[in-house]
Amino acid sequence: MMEQYKEEYISRIQKVQDYIEQNYGKNMTTEELASVAGFSKYHFNRIFKSVMDESLLQYVNRVRMENALFILAHRQDRNMTDVAYEIGFGDSAIFSRAFKAYYGMSPLAYRKKYSTNCKENLFLSEYNKSEKKKKWVEEPFPNTGEVRIENIESKDLVYIRHVGTYKSLGRVFAKWMHELFRLAHKQGLLRQEENQFLVMYHDNPEFGDEKHFRTSLCITVPVGCSAKEEGKLGVTKLTGGLYAVGHYEIKPGQFEDAWDHMYRNWLMMSGYVPRNACPYEVYLNNPKEDKEGLIKVDIYVPIEPI
C-alpha cells in the first residue's frame, strides 16, 4: 500500500513535468501547476522538491535554459529576442543576464562557441553504450538508412517514465517494458497491429545533465479506447506535426550511429531544422526473432522547413 501511495505522488509530479514541457514559454504560476498535480498550493513546492530533488523554480529554469541552448545551437535563424520570447522571457536583456548567470557566458558567446565546435555528436540513445561518449571518427556509419518526411497526427499514449542516466535506464528497461505492457493489457489497450511501442526522449543529452534525463517508455492508445492513470502508468499525448522518419536495421551498439546519421548526414543537408518537440524511437520487431539479431527501428525527429 505504501508503494502505491508513492507511485501516486510520482504520477502527479509527472503530469506537472508534461505540463511544463508543453508550456515552458508561458508564465506559469505555482497555483496553476499545483492544480495540475491536484495538490494544495501551500504544500506543492515541498512535495515537488521531495520527488524531483530540485525546487520547482530550479526545475522550470533548468528546462528553459536547456531549451535555450538547443535553440541557440540549432536555430541560427532565431535572434536573441526570438529565443527570449520562445523560452518565456519578455525581454532579451533579461534573458541574456539570466543565461550568463546560469552558464557563465552570454547567449551570443555560446552560439559562437558552439558554431566553431559543432563536431560534437548528438546521441540520444546513450543507454546502449558506455558512459564515455564515443568520439567522432572518419569511418562513416555503414547503414545509411532511409529517411522520409511524414505529417504525424497527435496520438494518445500511456507511459512509464524513467528519470536518470541512460545507463541506469538500461538496467531496468526490460522489466519496465514488461510492466508497461502488463498495465496496458489490464486496461484493454493492447490490440494487434494497432499499438506502437516507442521510447520518447524529453531531454537533449547534448545540453542537459544526465542525472535529470527523462525517458518515457510508451504505447500508443488505439482509437476508441480510453486510458487512465494507474500506479506508474501515466497518460499523455504525442505531439503531432512534421517529422523526419529514419528507418534503420541495426545491432544494439549502433543506435548512436543511427541518431548521428539522422542529425549529421541527413538533417544538415535536408532544408529542415529541428522543431521544438520530443524525438522518439518506434520499435518494429523482436530482435530475438531476427536471424541476424537486428533491431528494426524508426527514429522520429520533429522538423520544420528552414
Side-chain angles (χ1 to χ4, degrees):
M1 184 63 71
M2 290 180 65
E3 186 64 26
Q4 290 181 342
Y5 292 151
K6 180 180 178 181
E7 289 177 355
E8 175 66 21
Y9 271 73
I10 293 172
S11 175
R12 293 192 187 195
I13 295 302
Q14 286 177 346
K15 288 177 67 175
V16 177
Q17 289 178 329
D18 292 340
Y19 188 85
I20 292 170
E21 184 175 288
Q22 296 161 9
N23 296 280
Y24 65 82
K26 301 177 182 177
N27 181 25
M28 298 172 288
T29 65
T30 300
E31 290 82 359
E32 180 181 358
L33 296 175
S35 176
V36 170
F39 288 126
S40 163
K41 67 179 181 180
Y42 300 105
H43 307 287
F44 178 60
N45 278 296
R46 288 181 178 177
I47 293 172
F48 188 94
K49 187 172 184 179
S50 69
V51 173
M52 294 302 301
D53 198 30
E54 59 183 329
S55 71
L56 179 63
L57 180 61
Q58 288 172 326
Y59 182 85
V60 172
N61 194 39
R62 178 170 61 81
V63 169
R64 284 174 168 165
M65 288 300 158
E66 288 176 2
N67 275 279
L69 289 180
F70 178 81
I71 299 167
L72 289 167
H74 295 290
R75 296 303 303 265
Q76 297 292 327
D77 57 314
R78 305 282 175 85
N79 60 34
M80 292 305 110
T81 300
D82 295 333
V83 179
Y85 286 154
E86 187 161 338
I87 68 167
F89 286 85
D91 182 271
S92 60
I94 297 174
F95 161 63
S96 294
R97 287 196 295 271
F99 186 95
K100 188 170 184 178
Y102 199 87
Y103 290 114
M105 67 174 70
S106 70
L108 283 172
Y110 173 79
R111 173 171 276 177
K112 183 177 180 181
K113 181 179 178 181
Y114 185 90
S115 66
T116 58
N117 295 279
C118 60
K119 286 189 177 181
E120 186 71 22
N121 285 327
L122 175 58
F123 298 140
L124 299 177
S125 288
E126 295 196 1
Y127 63 87
N128 288 287
K129 61 179 182 176
S130 63
E131 285 185 290
K132 185 177 180 181
K133 288 189 177 181
K134 176 181 172 184
K135 296 299 182 182
W136 172 250
V137 292
E138 295 301 324
E139 184 180 352
F141 178 44
N143 184 346
T144 56
E146 298 176 358
V147 182
R148 62 189 186 275
I149 307 296
E150 288 191 12
N151 198 359
I152 306 297
E153 293 185 2
S154 177
K155 300 176 183 178
D156 291 326
L157 302 173
V158 289
Y159 69 87
I160 293 178
R161 179 166 300 156
H162 178 269
V163 178
T165 68
Y166 294 135
K167 185 176 181 179
S168 65
L169 172 62
R171 291 194 290 266
V172 300
F173 189 88
K175 178 181 177 182
W176 284 28
M177 182 174 68
H178 181 270
E179 178 69 2
L180 172 65
F181 275 85
R182 185 188 71 81
L183 292 170
H185 175 71
K186 184 179 176 182
Q187 294 191 24
L189 303 177
L190 298 185
R191 293 185 180 177
Q192 192 171 7
E193 298 183 359
E194 291 189 40
N195 302 105
Q196 286 182 319
F197 171 63
L198 58 96
V199 176
M200 181 177 293
Y201 301 96
H202 300 267
D203 299 284
N204 191 318
E206 192 177 20
F207 307 116
D209 184 342
E210 63 178 358
K211 71 180 180 182
H212 295 303
F213 288 167
R214 294 164 297 144
T215 309
S216 295
L217 281 60
C218 311
I219 296 175
T220 55
V221 176
V223 176
C225 290
S226 179
K228 63 179 182 180
E229 297 169 353
E230 181 181 1
K232 292 182 179 179
L233 193 72
V235 180
T236 189
K237 279 189 175 291
L238 174 68
T239 303
L242 206 61
Y243 285 82
V245 186
H247 177 73
Y248 299 92
E249 298 183 9
I250 55 179
K251 296 178 181 179
Q254 292 180 314
F255 272 88
E256 55 183 297
D257 297 296
W259 280 100
D260 188 58
H261 174 262
M262 286 292 295
Y263 277 86
R264 180 185 298 276
N265 298 82
W266 185 84
L267 189 60
M268 289 186 180
M269 309 295 180
S270 67
Y272 293 90
V273 290
R275 180 167 51 86
N276 189 22
C278 295
Y280 60 94
E281 299 163 342
V282 173
Y283 293 85
L284 306 174
N285 75 323
N286 182 348
K288 293 181 180 180
E289 298 174 357
D290 187 90
K291 293 181 180 179
E292 300 178 28
L294 295 177
I295 301 169
K296 296 180 181 179
V297 59
D298 284 346
I299 295 176
Y300 286 71
V301 177
I303 57 171
E304 60 188 15
I306 291 179

